[in-house]
Amino acid sequence: MSKRTATLPLVLPPREAGSPAARWLYATLRAQILAGRLPAGARLPATRDLARQQGLSRGTVVAAFEQLRAEGYVAGTIGSGTYVNRVLPDELLHVRRAGRVAPAASPAPARHVARLARRLRALPGYERRPTRAFRANVPALDLFPISLWAQIASRRLRRATAQQLLGCDALGYRPLREAVAHYLITSRGAQCVPEQVAIVSGVQEALDLVARLTIDPGDVVCVEHPGYVSATSVFTAYGARVRAVAVDEEGMRVPDGRARGARLAYVTPGHQHPLGMAMSLRRRFALIDWARRAGALILEDDYDSEFRYAARPLPALQGLDTHGVAALTGSFSKVLFPSLRLGYLVVPPDLVDRVAAAKSLANLHTPLLDQAVLCDFITEGHFGRHVRRMREVYAARLGVLLDGTRRYLTGLLDVSGIEAGLQTVGWLAAARDAATVARAAAARRVEVIPLGRPALGTVPREALLLGFAAVDEEEIMRGVRELARVLGRPAPLP
Ligand SMILES: Cc1ncc(COP(=O)(O)O)c(C=O)c1O
């Protein structure tokens, strides 16, 4: 019976016919060490394993290792592990050592890159800096019940069936699709059946799927201005001609003649990104009517809508649509935690099979066990409890931000109260430049995102995006005081 190999196989170039095995193995390993492919400190496979992998006798491998050891390339003893030496023999100083990664062939080959690939631009990732006032787009991660999540996850893993280890439909784990449909119908006023719900890796994947299904290069797509840049990046990548449609107090205006032939309109009616107002009911109906006449699809991004502070929640735009022109997407990134990468996409019935095909071509389906854990979290009531608790926490934090800025910054930075979400906007006094303020704030460890002059209202003013969810009330007040200093009106010490 063959023993199991304890180390992963080492891939070596083939041996030329006629070259003695020990000599070949010695020369090959030495070359790998010199090229940096076996870096300093790397452990070589056990002689028995390497002999089996390469079809050699163990004595041959031992002889090659002995020679490498004698010349100072490796250290350690047979039986306890053999490692590449950190300091290589003197004569190696004359040999150029390559980095760990094989250097690119030089000059670079003339590689063909598709037009689509030439348009791709990576999105900024989450920055791993300490969270401070006024980090936007991030929930209070320190308040997430991670132990509870771990218990549910470990129970799920212990009980995973063979079927669950195999996979699920392209559109996702059926019980989760049912739970999400139920939640959207009851809490967001959406109209859907579970068959219309796809579980995706966050809103970002929903944007990609919808773009693939609706955009041919040169097609017009309408987005809000100002709006969510990560959505525009996707549409641009697929070759869309993006039309920026201004937002006013009622949300995105109904697209005009410049949007003729539009295939898609992307909107954030629940909580306009980044300005924060909700789209009025009148505007929602007008947009649906426009889409019906234009033959366009509306993609409603319902991000952050769980955290609604006003008493009267507006139903999702998708729930008002009786013509099958609206799709709805949302994310668990803000309610739970961003690295979960789970969200949903609800599409009109005629698009369901196409979404399933596009999804399966990209990744077959979203990882099933993560979906199953989320499903338990929702159906056992933890999701609802967490949302209620966080809503209270965020409402209190928003209150502190509004009080603090009213007290110390009136006339310099007017902060909008908002109905929903994790961030709001501060309007700077005329003649203030948002980018300059943001830089000065950063020097005081306060993060604000400059929005420039979002055209809303009659006097264009520069504005800053202020997140209030990620940090506690003390840190929010520190941020307010620092901003007061930056804006030239130092607040009294607490
Ligand atoms: C407008 C908008 N939509 C969606 C998201 C969430 O996207 P995802 O689910 O890909 O994390 C964000 C996050 O910042 C956002 O600002």
Side-chain angles (χ1 to χ4, degrees):
M1 201 178 71
S2 78
K3 273 202 201 160
R4 282 200 298 139
T5 303
T7 46
L8 289 172
L10 198 58
V11 178
L12 299 177
R15 174 152 65 108
E16 274 175 31
S19 74
R23 180 84 213 148
W24 164 79
L25 184 60
Y26 155 78
T28 304
L29 291 176
R30 178 176 174 275
Q32 302 259 328
I33 292 169
L34 288 176
R37 280 191 286 275
L38 283 172
R43 185 180 181 156
L44 296 186
T47 50
R48 186 177 287 108
D49 294 344
L50 189 56
R52 191 175 303 112
Q53 291 157 13
Q54 301 295 333
L56 302 170
S57 74
R58 184 162 177 237
T60 301
V61 177
V62 169
F65 275 30
E66 290 297 356
Q67 189 169 348
L68 288 167
R69 193 182 346 272
E71 291 180 9
Y73 293 102
V74 299
T77 53
I78 291 164
S80 69
T82 305
Y83 298 86
V84 175
N85 256 339
R86 298 204 176 265
V87 181
L88 296 178
D90 285 355
E91 70 259 32
L92 299 185
L93 293 176
H94 304 296
V95 182
R96 197 178 66 79
R97 291 190 66 206
R100 279 163 181 245
V101 178
S106 151
R111 186 181 315 289
H112 172 73
V113 175
R115 268 190 215 110
L116 171 91
R118 277 182 254 149
R119 288 191 297 264
L120 298 179
R121 300 283 175 275
L123 301 178
Y126 278 94
E127 295 185 40
R128 281 171 282 273
R129 285 178 280 130
T131 308
R132 8 178 113 112
F134 296 99
R135 173 81 49 91
N137 289 325
V138 177
L141 297 174
D142 53 333
L143 299 181
F144 182 72
I146 193 71
S147 315
L148 172 63
W149 185 268
Q151 274 168 25
I152 297 173
S154 90
R155 188 186 63 204
R156 261 292 167 180
L157 288 172
R158 281 197 310 276
R159 296 187 191 160
T161 63
Q163 281 307 310
Q164 287 169 348
L165 295 182
L166 266 177
C168 63
D169 288 347
L171 294 178
Y173 178 56
R174 174 79 197 190
L176 178 60
R177 295 169 67 199
E178 286 168 7
V180 169
H182 177 74
Y183 163 70
L184 292 176
I185 294 164
T186 53
S187 295
R188 299 295 306 124
Q191 291 184 64
C192 63
V193 288
E195 286 72 16
Q196 287 170 265
V197 178
I199 303 300
V200 291
S201 286
V203 165
Q204 205 57 40
E205 190 184 18
L207 289 163
D208 188 82
L209 285 168
V210 169
R212 277 197 280 153
L213 296 187
T214 55
I215 301 172
D216 285 317
D219 281 348
V220 171
V221 171
C222 296
V223 299
E224 298 167 326
H225 180 67
Y228 187 41
V229 178
S230 302
T232 301
S233 302
V234 176
F235 306 143
T236 310
Y238 284 104
R241 282 185 291 145
V242 174
R243 294 276 179 271
V245 181
V247 297
D248 60 21
E249 292 76 0
E250 295 190 66
M252 189 175 85
R253 295 202 178 130
V254 175
D256 59 18
R258 285 191 320 125
R260 191 159 299 121
R263 303 280 184 235
L264 181 66
Y266 165 77
V267 284
T268 51
H271 172 229
Q272 202 276 332
H273 182 90
L275 298 184
M277 66 283 183
M279 188 183 280
S280 69
L281 208 53
R282 190 175 67 140
R283 193 60 69 70
R284 289 172 194 236
F285 280 118
L287 196 63
I288 290 170
D289 192 47
W290 165 83
R292 182 185 59 76
R293 284 184 283 109
L297 182 75
I298 299 171
L299 177 58
E300 171 179 19
D301 181 351
D302 204 34
Y303 82 108
D304 270 8
S305 57
E306 292 77 15
F307 302 120
R308 181 157 290 284
Y309 313 113
R312 174 191 49 91
L314 281 173
L317 178 152
Q318 189 268 2
L320 308 172
D321 167 30
T322 50
H323 306 286
V325 295
L328 172 66
T329 182
S331 176
F332 294 102
S333 294
K334 301 299 158 67
V335 195
L336 305 176
F337 51 98
S339 68
L340 183 61
R341 303 306 309 142
L342 287 176
Y344 54 83
L345 170 65
V346 180
V347 292
D350 61 295
L351 282 178
V352 168
D353 289 346
R354 295 191 201 278
V355 170
K359 174 83 182 144
S360 71
L361 282 177
N363 48 35
L364 292 185
H365 61 75
T366 301
L368 186 149
L369 290 170
D370 291 343
Q371 296 186 58
V373 176
L374 174 59
C375 183
D376 292 350
F377 196 79
I378 295 174
T379 55
E380 290 169 15
H382 308 300
F383 181 82
R385 267 191 294 282
H386 183 58
V387 168
R388 280 194 294 281
R389 175 167 170 243
M390 297 318 292
R391 197 185 287 142
E392 277 174 27
V393 170
Y394 296 155
R397 290 180 179 185
L398 174 62
V400 169
L401 174 65
L402 292 174
D403 278 356
T405 49
R406 245 175 245 137
R407 191 145 19 120
Y408 300 122
L409 291 167
T410 297
L412 294 176
L413 183 76
D414 295 327
V415 177
S416 314
I418 45 158
E419 293 186 11
L422 307 181
Q423 54 247 356
T424 183
V425 169
W427 300 92
L428 283 163
R432 285 287 187 171
D433 172 56
T436 311
V437 172
R439 269 195 303 277
R444 295 178 175 277
R445 294 180 298 113
V446 173
E447 296 176 26
V448 288
I449 300 177
L451 294 178
R453 291 173 169 233
L456 192 68
T458 45
V459 188
R461 289 166 78 185
E462 300 256 324
L464 304 172
L465 191 65
L466 305 166
F468 55 81
V471 294
D472 64 17
E473 296 164 15
E474 200 177 310
E475 174 64 8
I476 291 175
M477 278 314 294
R478 183 191 73 82
V480 169
R481 283 198 194 86
E482 293 294 1
L483 280 182
R485 231 171 253 150
V486 166
L487 294 172
R489 189 193 288 162
L493 288 173

